[in-house]
Amino acid sequence: MAMIEVKNITKSFNVKKFNKETGKYEKDTLTVLRDFTVDFKQEGVTVLLGPSGTGKSTLLRCINGLETVDKGDIIVDGMSVKDKKSLGKIRETCGMVFQQTVLFPHKDVLDNLTMAPIKLLKMPRKDAEDRARQLLDKVGLLSKEKAHHNELSGGEQQRIAIARALMMNPKALLLDEVTSALDPEMTSEVLNILENLAAEGVCMLAVTHEMAFAQHVASRILFMDKGSLVCDANKDDFFTVYRKENERIANFLKFIGE
């Protein structure tokens, strides 16, 4: 049984489009996911690839209940994202790490990590702090527990954001372009952490343009284009068979220098 079932979802946004004839902006609808269906088991690393604006990040946000679907449904560990009473549990089940790390600036690293487990899981403070220190050690930042966000590099902030997501004991991590704002050295720091988590069996769904991560860590590749699923394949087949046989995939990989 799949842990995450995406069932024929459609998601659109209201946008403004410039009409050249009238010289005015008019209301329009942008559909970013079209009758989209896919399942995810509680194992392995799935990388979502495709051009910008094709619905990859929106899919993660819909899974986590941060965006509502127009049609269809998403079932996470037996819970529907349409059931508002289940959203809190769904977000515990699927921890999410965003492009831009949001750490509370007035709190140190330890407090940032322990706040949610103490308030939402009712975890005793000592237990929360012990777990936080274990995770900080895992991401190589135990010495930073008293630091604030302005004392941390971008790579350190993202590694702490990953640790914070793990504090809730999620069954899956949703990673939305977590290295997009980082320089190559900081990107390497974060990817090393993700590789270690993958080796430990942590389930991950990752939107990324880092082909090194996809090639070394992913077990499955989803290629999306214009809100639809073009390819669902294991990593080896994607980078060999499909890159030769599918012109759209070949052009994408060529464009990003792979």
Side-chain angles (χ1 to χ4, degrees):
M1 180 178 176
M3 185 185 70
I4 301 172
E5 302 172 79
V6 180
K7 300 180 176 182
N8 306 103
I9 67 167
T10 295
K11 175 61 182 176
S12 300
F13 293 99
N14 294 324
V15 296
K16 289 185 178 181
K17 188 175 181 180
F18 186 72
N19 188 321
K20 293 182 179 179
E21 294 182 1
T22 64
K24 297 180 179 180
Y25 283 94
E26 301 175 352
K27 292 182 179 179
D28 198 5
T29 300
L30 175 65
T31 301
V32 293
L33 290 169
R34 305 171 185 275
D35 196 30
F36 196 94
T37 297
V38 69
D39 288 346
F40 300 98
K41 296 180 180 179
Q42 193 179 334
E43 57 186 21
V45 179
T46 301
V47 166
L48 283 64
L49 298 179
S52 298
T54 199
K56 305 183 299 298
S57 295
T58 299
L59 176 60
L60 294 191
R61 293 177 65 85
C62 287
I63 290 172
N64 209 39
L66 297 174
E67 298 286 355
T68 57
V69 298
D70 302 330
K71 297 179 182 178
D73 199 2
I74 301 175
I75 307 299
V76 178
D77 205 22
M79 300 172 287
S80 170
V81 296
K82 291 186 173 181
D83 180 5
K84 293 183 179 180
K85 294 180 180 179
S86 297
L87 286 181
K89 188 62 178 178
I90 287 173
R91 289 168 184 160
E92 291 176 22
T93 302
C94 296
M96 191 157 182
V97 185
F98 301 90
Q99 295 180 29
Q100 300 296 329
T101 306
V102 182
L103 298 178
F104 293 104
H106 61 291
K107 293 184 177 294
D108 62 25
V109 167
L110 193 64
D111 284 340
N112 266 279
L113 266 63
T114 58
M115 183 185 304
I118 290 172
K119 289 189 175 182
L120 300 179
L121 302 183
K122 307 304 179 184
M123 187 182 294
R125 179 172 294 278
K126 183 180 184 305
D127 292 349
E129 290 181 350
D130 287 346
R131 175 159 175 76
R133 291 188 176 101
Q134 291 173 359
L135 290 172
L136 286 174
D137 190 35
K138 182 187 289 286
V139 300
L141 293 173
L142 184 56
S143 63
K144 299 288 185 177
E145 68 171 74
K146 294 301 181 182
H148 288 71
H149 83 108
N150 60 342
E151 300 171 303
L152 303 166
S153 70
E156 288 172 339
Q157 289 185 33
Q158 279 294 24
R159 285 149 65 189
I160 288 167
I162 292 168
R164 183 174 61 181
L166 292 172
M167 283 291 295
M168 301 298 286
N169 293 310
K171 293 184 178 181
L173 276 183
L174 310 180
L175 307 166
D176 186 14
E177 290 281 14
V178 296
T179 61
S180 64
L182 305 180
D183 63 32
E185 184 176 3
M186 292 179 182
T187 294
S188 179
E189 292 177 3
V190 175
L191 293 183
N192 285 339
I193 297 301
L194 297 180
E195 288 185 20
N196 292 338
L197 291 174
E200 294 175 7
V202 176
C203 177
M204 286 183 268
L205 279 61
V207 173
T208 184
H209 286 104
E210 292 293 337
M211 290 303 101
F213 177 69
Q215 289 178 319
H216 291 108
V217 181
S219 53
R220 178 186 182 191
I221 303 286
L222 301 185
F223 185 84
M224 298 170 59
D225 191 27
K226 298 178 180 177
S228 298
L229 183 59
V230 175
C231 175
D232 181 352
N234 67 59
K235 173 187 63 179
D236 294 335
D237 286 346
F238 180 82
F239 284 106
T240 55
V241 177
Y242 286 94
R243 75 179 303 165
K244 294 179 180 178
E245 297 182 354
N246 188 298
E247 184 178 358
R248 182 67 190 91
I249 292 173
N251 288 338
F252 174 80
L253 293 176
K254 183 178 180 180
F255 178 77
I256 62 174
E258 169 51 38

